[in-house]
């Protein structure tokens, strides 16, 4: 992945910039080259670059102070949550200051009457539910990295998770944010009741990938825990048949809390890794429903009737907490288990559910054409696909071949009416494919929004938009004040 050359004027002022950062926030600056390597990449670890410096603030006021300083000195900034992005969203450049939110983890307010919680943006996803679990509530979005990923990163990428079919993704559970703009201005968007009248700026910020400002606090919707939940596991003799079953369930108007898909390479890997006891089949679905016992029984009866039309090799309904845990065990372990097969790239295309059978067949055809294995594990209920392309990082050309295969898979997603990303974001991974989904006027409209929030294009500016398209705007940073030091 190409990155723009670093700004020579920033590199030449390195010592002065470091001194200014230390003065602004003593004890919070990491500038030792060996220590900055911990921040040189995110979960797209094939690409990396140590930043100029890393700063770890503890409050909105400190973030504001840092951004104002970097704005005045025309220093690029890369926001970072927990670094779990799979699209290179928080990969820095040599001339950039990383502002990390890892110290901003406080719960600021819980209001059960309003069903909301306000937290600092560095708090991990799972710990938000942990803060209200004893009160009978939970936070619904549950990305696979929820043990580690930060709420600020979830907002940047509009993260989803296994249960987003019923509860929605981050934008559906986000009521408000405190946002610090590049010039240090602090704005409040939304609140306990959600976005007010006027432009939906909260909707603009959610999913903006750190391009518009840094979210420091978030007001999130919390929900009462359901009375109960029960999963079923359904095995099939082909991926296409499993995809057709998903489409039939959704078409029937049934909305389970989750429908997860795994194909045979992933099934075999998870069985060797975690021994969940999955059947030997070509594909399986994990379908979970919630409610009171009668509601669960009724929903599962309807799902069984639909599934049986597709002649499944197994239909396994959980009858205990332990069985439920084992059904989910393999799915929760899938991304770690796939490491046994080699290095891999995890994609994130989203398609209409009715296109699942044809797209799965198309992915199989592309896999054979490129001579690289592809395993599929994804959120089938909303068509959010996560093909895992297996390659050998030690074989020259293998990464390039894997990326070319990934690009063709994402083009296929767009061709059937889908989009490039559902929850991982564009970052650098899909940046050069944006022109596949958007024509020049579309990209221009999106960049004009960034112009308003970040006129000098200092925030995460080498991400999302193709470099040749964004180059004139990124060059604005070179027009820094003559006395900046």
């Amino acid at each position: 992945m190409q990155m723009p050359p670093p700004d020579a004027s920033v590199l030449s002022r390195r010592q002065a910039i470091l001194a200014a950062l230390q003065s602004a926030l003593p004890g919070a600056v990491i500038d030792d080259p060996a220590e900055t390597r911990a921040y040189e990449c995110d979960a797209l670890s094939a690409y990396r670059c140590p930043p100029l410096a890393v700063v770890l603030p503890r409050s909105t006021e400190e973030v504001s102070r840092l951004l104002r300083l970097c704005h005045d000195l025309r220093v690029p900034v890369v926001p970072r949550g927990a670094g779990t992005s799979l699209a290179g969203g928080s990969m820095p450049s040599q001339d950039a200051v990383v502002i990390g939110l890892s110290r901003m983890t406080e719960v600021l307010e819980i209001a059960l009457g309003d069903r909301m919680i306000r937290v600092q943006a560095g708090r991990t996803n799972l710990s938000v539910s942990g803060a209200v679990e004893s009160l009978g509530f939970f936070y619904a979005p549950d990305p696979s990295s929820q043990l580690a990923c930060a709420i600020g990163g979830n907002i940047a990428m509009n993260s989803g998770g296994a249960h987003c079919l019923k509860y929605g993704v981050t934008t559906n559970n986000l009521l408000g944010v405190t946002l610090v703009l590049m010039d240090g201005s602090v704005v409040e968007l939304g609140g306990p009741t959600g976005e007010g009248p006027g432009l939906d700026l909260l909707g603009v910020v959610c999913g903006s990938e750190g391009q518009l400002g840094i979210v420091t606090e978030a007001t999130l919707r919390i929900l009462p825990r359901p009375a109960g939940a029960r999963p079923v596991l359904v095995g099939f003799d082909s991926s296409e048949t499993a995809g057709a079953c998903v489409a039939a369930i959704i078409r029937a108007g049934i909305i389970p809390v989750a429908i997860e898909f795994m194909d045979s390479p992933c099934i075999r890997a998870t069985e060797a890794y975690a021994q969940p006891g999955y059947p030997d089949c070509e594909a399986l679905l994990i379908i979970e429903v919630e409610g009171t016992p009668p509601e669960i029984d009724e929903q599962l009866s309807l799902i069984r009737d639909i599934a049986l039309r597709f002649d499944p090799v197994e239909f396994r309904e959980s009858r205990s907490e332990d069985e439920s845990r084992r059904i989910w065990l393999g799915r929760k372990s899938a991304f770690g288990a796939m490491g046994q097969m080699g290095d891999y790239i995890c994609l994130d295309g989203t398609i209409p559910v009715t296109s699942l059978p044809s797209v799965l067949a198309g992915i199989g055809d592309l896999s054979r054409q490129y001579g690289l294995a592809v395993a599929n594990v994804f959120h089938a209920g909303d068509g959010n696909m996560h093909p895992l392309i297996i390659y050998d990082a030690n074989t020259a050309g293998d990464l390039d071949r894997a990326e070319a295969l990934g690009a063709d898979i994402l083009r296929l997603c767009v061709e059937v009416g889908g989009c490039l990303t559902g929850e991982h974001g564009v970052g650098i991974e899909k940046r050069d494919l944006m022109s596949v989904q958007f024509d020049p006027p579309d990209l221009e409209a999106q960049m004009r929004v960034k112009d308003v929030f970040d006129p000098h294009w200092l925030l995460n500016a080498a991400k999302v938009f193709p470099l040749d398209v964004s180059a004139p705007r990124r060059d604005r940073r070179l027009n820094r004040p003559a006395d900046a030091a």
Side-chain angles (χ1 to χ4, degrees):
M1 294 289 179
Q2 181 187 2
M3 290 292 284
D7 184 345
S9 71
V10 171
L11 298 182
S12 68
R13 294 179 288 130
R14 182 177 187 275
Q15 291 306 317
I17 292 168
L18 293 177
L21 292 171
Q22 291 282 11
S23 177
L25 213 59
V29 180
I30 301 171
D31 59 10
D32 183 306
E35 294 183 10
T36 60
R37 287 193 177 277
Y39 299 86
E40 68 183 359
C41 69
D42 51 26
L44 186 66
S45 58
Y47 301 95
R48 54 190 68 202
C49 176
L52 182 78
V54 179
V55 193
L56 304 175
R58 295 183 181 274
S59 68
T60 296
E61 189 278 328
E62 290 183 353
V63 172
S64 172
R65 196 187 316 163
L66 290 168
L67 285 182
R68 188 180 306 114
L69 173 64
C70 290
H71 174 270
D72 293 344
L73 297 179
R74 295 293 190 268
V75 177
V77 170
V78 174
R80 182 183 176 99
T84 59
S85 168
L86 288 160
S90 55
M91 192 190 89
S93 53
Q94 190 180 354
D95 58 355
V97 170
V98 169
I99 295 183
L101 304 181
S102 58
R103 292 178 173 176
M104 299 179 62
T105 60
E106 293 183 14
V107 173
L108 303 172
E109 181 184 2
I110 296 174
L112 297 185
D114 292 325
R115 295 190 177 183
M116 55 77 71
I117 182 172
R118 189 164 61 91
V119 300
Q120 287 187 308
R123 191 170 182 88
T124 61
N125 175 288
L126 190 60
S127 71
V128 173
S129 284
V132 294
E133 185 175 18
S134 64
L135 304 172
F137 285 77
F138 75 109
Y139 177 60
D142 58 340
S144 296
S145 59
Q146 68 177 152
L147 182 64
C149 63
I151 288 297
N154 289 177
I155 294 169
M157 301 303 181
N158 192 21
S159 301
H163 291 85
C164 66
L165 176 59
K166 178 177 180 179
Y167 294 113
V169 294
T170 298
T171 192
N172 305 112
N173 295 273
L174 180 65
L175 299 174
V177 298
T178 299
L179 181 73
V180 185
L181 305 182
M182 187 63 220
D183 66 0
S185 303
V186 179
V187 296
E188 300 287 343
L189 302 176
T193 58
E195 182 67 40
L199 296 174
D200 180 15
L201 296 180
L202 185 62
V204 171
V205 168
C206 187
S208 61
E209 303 197 26
Q211 295 257 310
L212 308 182
I214 297 182
V215 172
T216 57
E217 299 174 11
T219 303
L220 308 171
R221 176 179 287 114
I222 54 175
L223 301 170
R225 285 210 164 272
R230 191 186 311 159
V232 295
L233 184 153
V234 193
F236 297 91
D237 57 11
S238 78
S239 292
E240 292 81 2
T241 303
C245 181
V246 173
I249 290 171
I250 299 301
R251 188 165 51 245
I254 303 169
I255 305 297
V257 69
I259 305 179
E260 296 294 294
F261 176 103
M262 296 171 65
D263 67 5
S264 56
C266 195
I267 294 167
R268 290 193 297 269
T270 56
E271 195 62 34
Y273 181 75
Q275 295 87 47
Y278 287 164
D280 182 12
C281 58
E282 289 301 309
L284 64 79
L285 300 176
I286 297 172
I287 308 170
E288 184 168 272
V289 299
E290 291 181 341
T292 62
E295 289 172 330
I296 290 173
D297 289 341
E298 181 180 3
Q299 292 178 77
L300 290 184
S301 175
L302 295 172
I303 290 169
R304 175 188 285 272
D305 289 344
I306 293 171
L308 291 180
R309 298 178 204 159
F310 296 89
D311 194 24
V313 299
E314 182 169 345
F315 188 99
R316 183 190 306 172
E317 182 176 336
S318 171
R319 294 298 179 185
S320 68
E321 286 294 327
D322 183 63
E323 287 184 14
S324 296
R325 182 190 65 80
R326 293 192 66 79
I327 285 175
W328 277 108
L329 176 61
R331 175 61 182 91
K332 295 291 186 181
S333 306
F335 289 100
M338 291 304 299
Q340 301 169 105
M341 298 182 66
D343 304 293
Y344 66 81
I345 296 174
C346 178
L347 298 182
D348 174 46
T350 298
I351 63 172
V353 173
T354 52
S355 296
L356 277 172
S358 63
V359 170
L360 286 167
I363 290 174
D365 291 341
L366 289 169
S367 171
R368 288 184 286 275
Q369 289 174 28
Y370 279 88
L372 292 173
V374 178
N376 290 286
V377 51
F378 58 88
H379 313 311
D382 64 344
N384 189 186
M385 307 192 72
H386 296 315
L388 306 178
I389 301 173
I390 314 299
Y391 71 101
D392 184 354
N394 296 315
T395 298
D398 242 28
L399 176 58
D400 292 340
R401 195 154 50 107
E403 289 180 338
L405 170 55
D408 278 350
I409 290 174
L410 291 172
R411 289 188 184 95
L412 175 61
C413 292
V414 174
E415 286 172 8
V416 301
C419 59
L420 294 173
T421 178
E423 58 177 342
H424 292 178
V426 174
I428 63 171
E429 180 202 30
K430 309 179 189 76
R431 179 189 62 197
D432 298 324
L433 290 170
M434 284 286 278
S435 57
V436 173
Q437 182 171 345
F438 301 104
D439 61 21
D442 292 328
L443 293 173
E444 175 64 20
Q446 293 176 51
M447 290 189 294
R448 288 178 65 186
V449 173
K450 181 168 174 59
D451 289 342
V452 173
F453 284 81
D454 180 22
H456 298 290
W457 278 59
L458 291 166
L459 271 168
N460 226 16
K463 317 292 172 59
V464 179
F465 302 105
L467 294 183
D468 60 335
V469 173
S470 65
R473 284 170 158 92
R474 287 185 288 104
D475 287 345
R476 291 176 185 172
R477 74 175 62 160
L478 301 179
N479 299 320
R480 61 185 180 86
D483 59 348

